[in-house]
Amino acid sequence: MTTGQIPTILIIEDNPNNARIMRRVLEREQYQILHAEDGESGIQLALTSAPDLILLDLGLPDVDGQTIAGMLKQPNALPDTPVVVVTAWPAETARQMVTAYGCEGYISKPINTREFGAQVTSFLPTSA
Amino acid sequence: MQLVPASQFTIEELTAAYNQTRVDYIVPMPMTAQRLRQYVNTYDISLDASAVAIDGDDILGLCMLGIREQRAWITRLGVLPVKRRHGAGQALMEYEIEQAVRYGLSTIYLEVIVGNAPAYALFSRLGFVEERHLLILRRPPGSPPEAPLSPVEATWVEPEETLNYLSSRPWRAAWTNQAESIANAGDVRALHLVELDSGNAGWVTYQQTALQFKRVMLAPSPGSELAPAFSLLHHLHSSGPLLDTIAENVPAEAPHLADFYALGYVESFARIEMLLQLNS
């Protein structure tokens, strides 16, 4: 991501309400938002659009979030793109999964709409 | 509220209802209609014996019953979040227990995620007792660690022969891992190893997709007290280092659990398996 470009964030989330809330908060932060509602389309969109950050739900109906993270973090995929898990899993379990799968962090559900924008921003790579 | 057989609904309707009942679950695990259809087939779910709780045209919740010989399995119990605490969950469970009695079955198994206190309390009230803890293990992609391995005799086994190994497990498999499940799932292969130094012999099953190893189960061969678990898993993951892996319902007391962790597996969550003996 270079200075002056609007960061693009990909949301991979099957729950339309959750996705809508995240999109609304992040668009207020002036981010460009892409959304995939299942794992397979999320993988495709990630690989074709090369977003600056990926917000990843763990509980997707077709391919779960851990499998997606494992795939995206491979050297021939998007190893340097921050992947942030957004999950209702207990904190300790979320932390273990994040560490095991090489993700950059997690944000707990339900999200706090006042804090969510800043939380996501903290995971974005700093400008070059 | 009425309880009606799940067979009166399409798979798509059941899928939509199921997903809505689980939106706030500890581990949501939503499904597509295709996955629910596969689930019903793989785990011998009787949709005639499974139930949906309705109020007029509205679905309040559902519950499914698997049937194998004299055994039953209650699964996918869920009630819409806004409709809980009105007895729907208990009514669904009592219905399924009655179904199991009607079918002349002798035992009912179920699993409840550790931490789901309301469900655990309900099942306990209905007479279910704890049998054991089962672990859901995940392994991210990656080559297994460098390690000295004993020389082995390895045999990669085709799906049609995999079933021959499953009857030799020294412990009772969870419903999802029983021979019937593996036969129904199809395309589950195995690796059989004999460690030449120790004589330990065993096997690991796996189903390979584009992204994942699934149905990973491991056990010693007949006559071998211990499975060469580290070698088995090392060989498996060396054959597919770019694949994510899930090993579902590994008994928490399994003697080779440490080998799973040594090969990079982590615990995702745990279930408590519970049992109700029926007087039939």
Side-chain angles (χ1 to χ4, degrees):
Chain A
M1 185 176 71
T2 56
T3 307
Q5 283 186 337
I6 299 173
T8 299
I9 296 175
L10 169 61
I11 300 171
I12 306 178
E13 166 65 65
D14 67 308
N15 184 301
N17 288 335
N18 291 343
R20 186 167 48 244
I21 292 169
M22 285 192 267
R23 177 190 280 269
R24 197 172 66 225
V25 171
L26 295 175
E27 282 177 341
R28 271 208 303 266
E29 300 287 325
Q30 308 297 312
Y31 295 129
Q32 206 160 27
I33 303 302
L34 303 173
H35 173 226
E37 58 185 22
D38 59 59
E40 291 208 11
S41 58
I43 292 172
Q44 286 306 312
L45 201 46
L47 294 175
T48 54
S49 64
D52 297 293
L53 182 142
I54 298 169
L55 295 172
L56 177 60
D57 177 27
L58 289 184
L60 294 162
D62 55 344
V63 181
D64 68 27
Q66 291 100 311
T67 307
I68 296 170
M71 187 266 162
L72 292 177
K73 284 297 183 181
Q74 298 203 27
N76 62 346
L78 301 172
D80 299 323
T81 301
V83 175
V84 178
V85 166
V86 187
T87 180
W89 284 30
E92 186 51 38
T93 310
R95 213 170 285 129
Q96 278 185 357
M97 287 297 117
V98 160
T99 303
Y101 281 83
C103 299
E104 275 61 29
Y106 76 94
I107 297 172
S108 294
K109 280 180 181 173
I111 64 168
N112 182 323
T113 53
R114 287 187 211 157
E115 296 175 1
F116 186 64
Q119 287 173 314
V120 171
T121 300
S122 72
F123 288 111
L124 277 166
T126 51
S127 304
Chain B
M1 181 180 67
Q2 257 189 295
L3 298 178
V4 297
S7 52
Q8 292 186 15
F9 298 83
T10 65
I11 286 289
E12 287 74 16
E13 288 169 327
L14 294 173
T15 303
Y18 166 76
N19 286 338
Q20 285 171 40
T21 68
R22 297 295 185 102
V23 290
D24 62 343
Y25 217 54
I26 298 171
V27 183
M29 291 189 290
M31 297 181 124
T32 60
Q34 182 189 16
R35 280 184 72 180
L36 184 59
R37 193 173 284 114
Q38 284 173 350
Y39 188 94
V40 167
N41 291 337
T42 300
Y43 301 127
D44 293 310
I45 303 298
S46 166
L47 291 179
D48 286 333
S50 301
V52 177
I54 60 173
D55 182 6
D57 290 333
D58 297 330
I59 293 179
L60 307 179
L62 73 164
C63 192
M64 293 189 170
L65 190 72
I67 299 176
R68 287 174 178 159
E69 297 176 341
Q70 295 299 304
R71 317 180 312 272
W73 183 54
I74 289 179
T75 183
R76 305 291 101 169
L77 171 68
V79 177
L80 291 182
V82 296
K83 300 293 184 183
R84 291 179 194 152
R85 304 205 181 283
H86 289 91
Q90 178 151 342
L92 284 162
M93 284 295 298
E94 288 172 345
Y95 181 96
E96 296 304 351
I97 293 170
E98 282 168 18
Q99 289 295 306
V101 171
R102 192 167 78 82
Y103 277 77
L105 308 177
S106 59
T107 52
I108 307 176
Y109 291 94
L110 57 80
E111 296 107 30
V112 56
I113 289 180
V114 170
N116 189 346
Y120 185 90
L122 169 61
F123 302 149
S124 298
R125 276 200 311 275
L126 292 169
F128 284 84
V129 296
E130 276 196 36
E131 278 283 286
R132 57 185 171 174
H133 280 222
L134 301 170
L135 306 178
I136 286 67
L137 304 178
R138 300 299 298 260
R139 183 184 184 277
S143 295
E146 295 279 336
L149 294 174
S150 302
V152 299
E153 187 180 280
T155 308
W156 294 91
V157 177
E158 293 298 309
E160 53 272 15
E161 292 176 43
T162 296
L163 295 178
N164 297 335
Y165 290 90
L166 298 178
S167 59
S168 70
R169 282 176 285 199
W171 51 79
R172 180 180 51 78
W175 190 277
T176 56
N177 298 340
Q178 290 173 1
E180 294 94 331
S181 301
I182 302 307
N184 293 338
D187 199 29
V188 178
R189 299 164 188 271
L191 165 66
H192 181 261
L193 283 189
V194 180
E195 263 184 352
L196 299 178
D197 294 345
S198 66
N200 287 334
W203 48 266
V204 61
T205 62
Y206 63 99
Q207 187 181 44
Q208 185 168 345
T209 69
L211 296 176
Q212 203 176 44
F213 282 130
K214 301 177 175 184
R215 307 203 182 276
V216 171
M217 297 182 287
L218 192 153
S221 296
S224 184
E225 193 177 332
L226 287 176
F230 189 91
S231 289
L232 281 163
L233 293 170
H234 199 284
H235 276 76
L236 177 66
H237 292 299
S238 296
S239 77
L242 300 183
L243 298 178
D244 179 54
T245 305
I246 180 166
E248 187 173 6
N249 291 339
V250 177
E253 302 301 318
H256 46 258
L257 197 57
D259 294 300
F260 275 103
Y261 296 137
L263 265 295
Y265 284 76
V266 296
E267 182 183 320
S268 180
F269 61 96
R271 295 172 170 141
I272 304 169
E273 186 185 58
M274 303 179 85
L275 164 69
L276 178 67
Q277 293 281 7
L278 299 174
N279 299 320
S280 48

